[in-house]
């Protein structure tokens, strides 16, 4: 679901229905904030990685020297880029999904299946966070050679990303429980091309 889809649904509350309209709007607002947070994270990390690599290439070609840490910074920033992208995909509904059978169901059936899917996503995200904690904690003792930055700064993106994906799924499930219609995902609206 894109930010415009979220705004469009909030602007047309009569299509969504009834008594929990203000709660649903608040949930949409939180989801929109998470989308902007993830987008800012993606732009920041991508820009940082690009600039570090660009400056390093320019220095190598012009002065036959480079920035030793330019290759290491990607070890920290790339996992955060992926985490931000995962959150954006969850908010915008651009995950990989096969919906042929689900689209054949009536509205109530689609809503029930969507709620079940969101519950499963939350369970899986919490399981990933739980099982990855020993690895994340062990990464405190591993440092990058040039920058001496502990690798926990990169690995902690795993917890951040999966926690926000779980939060997005909880918010979506609550909106569905409160009566929001399950979406028919039109590939034309969710495709990145």
């Amino acid at each position: 679901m894109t930010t415009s889809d979220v705004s469009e649904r909030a602007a047309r509350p009569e299509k969504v229905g009834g008594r929990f309209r203000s709660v649903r709007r608040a949930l949409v607002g939180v989801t929109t904030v998470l989308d902007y947070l993830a987008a800012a994270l993606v732009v920041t990390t991508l820009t940082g990685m690009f600039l570090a690599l660009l400056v390093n290439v320019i220095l190598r070609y012009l002065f036959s020297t480079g920035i030793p840490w330019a290759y290491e910074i990607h070890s920290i920033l790339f996992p955060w880029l992926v985490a931000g992208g995962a959150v954006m995909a969850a908010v915008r509904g651009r995950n990989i999904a096969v919906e042929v059978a689900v689209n054949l169901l009536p509205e109530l059936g689609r809503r029930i299946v969507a709620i079940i899917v969101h519950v499963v996503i939350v369970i899986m995200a919490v399981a990933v966070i739980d099982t990855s904690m020993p690895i994340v904690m062990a990464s405190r003792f591993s440092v990058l050679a040039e920058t001496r930055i502990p690798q926990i700064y990169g690995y902690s993106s795993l917890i951040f990303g999966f926690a926000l994906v779980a939060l997005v799924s909880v918010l979506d499930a609550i909106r569905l429980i409160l009566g929001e219609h399950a979406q028919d995902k039109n590939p034309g609206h969710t495709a990145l091309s």
Side-chain angles (χ1 to χ4, degrees):
M1 148 175 48
T2 64
T3 306
S4 62
D5 292 338
V6 171
S7 301
E8 182 181 319
R9 286 195 351 232
R12 293 182 290 123
E14 69 279 355
K15 297 251 180 172
V16 177
R19 10 179 244 227
F20 299 108
R21 186 177 304 149
S22 61
V23 174
R24 282 194 301 268
R25 281 188 181 171
L27 294 173
V28 167
V30 171
T31 304
T32 302
V33 168
L34 292 176
D35 187 37
Y36 285 127
L37 173 69
L41 182 62
V42 167
V43 168
T44 302
T45 55
L46 197 56
T47 302
M49 289 189 310
F50 175 76
L51 289 176
L53 191 59
L54 177 67
V55 168
N56 194 38
V57 167
I58 290 172
L59 288 174
R60 287 210 181 273
Y61 278 107
L62 294 180
F63 302 108
S64 297
T65 185
I67 307 169
W69 56 263
Y71 298 108
E72 288 185 351
I73 200 70
H74 296 83
S75 298
I76 301 295
L77 295 180
F78 186 73
W80 286 97
L81 173 70
V82 173
V87 173
M88 285 176 64
V91 168
R92 297 174 184 202
R94 292 186 175 165
N95 309 12
I96 298 172
V98 179
E99 298 179 340
V100 175
V102 175
N103 288 338
L104 297 174
L105 295 173
E107 170 58 31
L108 180 61
R110 285 196 308 266
R111 188 181 306 162
I112 290 170
V113 169
I115 292 169
I116 292 169
V117 166
H118 286 302
V119 169
V120 169
I121 289 171
V122 170
I123 291 169
M124 289 174 46
V126 169
V128 168
I129 291 170
D130 183 51
T131 57
S132 66
M133 283 307 291
I135 297 167
V136 172
M137 298 315 287
S139 69
R140 291 179 300 173
F141 307 110
S142 178
V143 295
L144 298 172
E146 290 293 326
T147 59
R148 307 303 299 162
I149 296 174
Q151 289 190 353
I152 191 169
Y153 292 113
Y155 280 99
S156 59
S157 66
L158 192 78
I159 296 167
F160 173 83
F162 279 99
L164 288 188
V165 167
L167 178 59
V168 168
S169 287
V170 166
L171 296 174
D172 287 348
I174 291 171
R175 288 195 339 238
L176 287 165
I177 290 168
L178 294 178
E180 189 169 293
H181 296 291
Q183 294 178 349
D184 284 329
K185 298 270 194 309
N186 182 349
H189 293 129
T190 59
L192 294 174
S193 57

